[in-house]
Amino acid sequence: MDKTRILQQGEEAKFQIAIKDFDMDANDFKVELVYGYRRTTMEIDKSQMVHSADGKYFFTFDTDGMAGRVTAICTWQVPDTDYQDGYRQETDEQYLCFVASVPCPQFISCPQCGASDSLPVVYTRTEQSSIADEYTYLACADYDRILTRDNEVILVLKEQTNNE
């Protein structure tokens, strides 16, 4: 396991998720984190993830109550007319990270670490500060921020990318 995936207990983790050969914008998916001796689970739905302007998905979680290996189980719905509901469910399970409760942990290396390009789901730990950096406040010509009726500021993308 590479060092970026060793987390200190109490950290907030942030991972980018990419599912190969799957339209993540148009279809549903979720990640379930499994950890601990009792196999405690934490489910993170697509709606709870951050979607950046360039089409990437990020999820975050608090490691405060975690220790040891954290497994990620990604489940996604592939459109398939051969199924009654019109979708085929795909699943990928792999180690996501290791949460250490002590400094400098020693552990066994994962035999699949070198073969990540053959796995259908790719997780990348990211330390990008804020998706909000891609946005700016909507303002008038005098640089006064425009507010909604509820006194909320309005954010707009700094740069629009057109992928068509």
Side-chain angles (χ1 to χ4, degrees), residues 4 39 41 53 59 86-87 100 103 113 139 147 149-150 155:
T4 65
R39 298 198 42 87
T41 61
F59 64 92
Y87 292 95
C113 285
L147 302 175
R149 188 171 79 184
D150 301 327
L155 295 170

Side-chain angles (χ1 to χ4, degrees), residues 7-9 66-68 98-103 105:
L7 310 175
Q8 187 64 46
Q9 190 176 46
M66 297 179 170
F98 184 91
V99 178
S101 57
V102 295

Side-chain angles (χ1 to χ4, degrees), residues 129-157:
S129 293
S130 177
I131 298 300
D133 291 344
E134 297 176 8
Y135 294 86
T136 189
Y137 295 104
L138 184 63
C140 66
D142 295 328
Y143 300 104
D144 293 328
R145 293 180 183 164
I146 298 174
L147 302 175
T148 66
R149 188 171 79 184
D150 301 327
N151 285 331
E152 298 288 329
V153 294
I154 300 173
L155 295 170
V156 295
L157 280 173

Side-chain angles (χ1 to χ4, degrees), residues 3-147:
K3 312 192 274 195
T4 65
R5 299 212 182 191
I6 303 169
L7 310 175
Q8 187 64 46
Q9 190 176 46
E11 266 188 281
E12 290 202 3
K14 183 178 187 179
F15 283 87
Q16 176 187 339
I17 180 173
I19 305 172
K20 294 179 184 176
D21 302 321
F22 179 71
D23 186 353
M24 295 173 70
D25 291 331
N27 299 296
D28 200 25
F29 64 94
K30 67 179 178 179
V31 174
E32 183 178 20
L33 303 178
V34 182
Y35 57 92
Y37 177 73
R38 296 179 186 233
R39 298 198 42 87
T40 306
T41 61
M42 176 189 301
E43 193 169 291
I44 304 169
D45 291 319
K46 174 183 174 180
S47 63
Q48 295 172 294
M49 296 183 190
V50 176
H51 186 219
S52 69
D54 58 355
K56 296 176 182 171
Y57 282 87
F58 299 88
F59 64 92
T60 62
F61 59 95
D62 188 359
T63 63
D64 202 26
M66 297 179 170
R69 290 182 177 166
V70 178
T71 302
I73 302 170
C74 182
T75 305
W76 63 100
Q77 306 296 323
V78 178
D80 191 334
T81 57
D82 293 337
Y83 289 82
Q84 188 174 9
D85 65 353
Y87 292 95
R88 179 182 74 248
Q89 183 171 299
E90 298 269 337
T91 302
D92 175 76
E93 182 173 351
Q94 57 184 282
Y95 290 123
L96 179 67
C97 60
F98 184 91
V99 178
S101 57
V102 295
C104 194
Q106 301 289 323
F107 33 78
I108 303 166
S109 64
C110 174
Q112 282 192 337
C113 285
S116 63
D117 57 342
S118 65
L119 298 171
V121 179
V122 178
Y123 299 96
T124 308
R125 175 120 191 255
T126 182
E127 294 181 2
Q128 179 181 352
S129 293
S130 177
I131 298 300
D133 291 344
E134 297 176 8
Y135 294 86
T136 189
Y137 295 104
L138 184 63
C140 66
D142 295 328
Y143 300 104
D144 293 328
R145 293 180 183 164
I146 298 174
L147 302 175

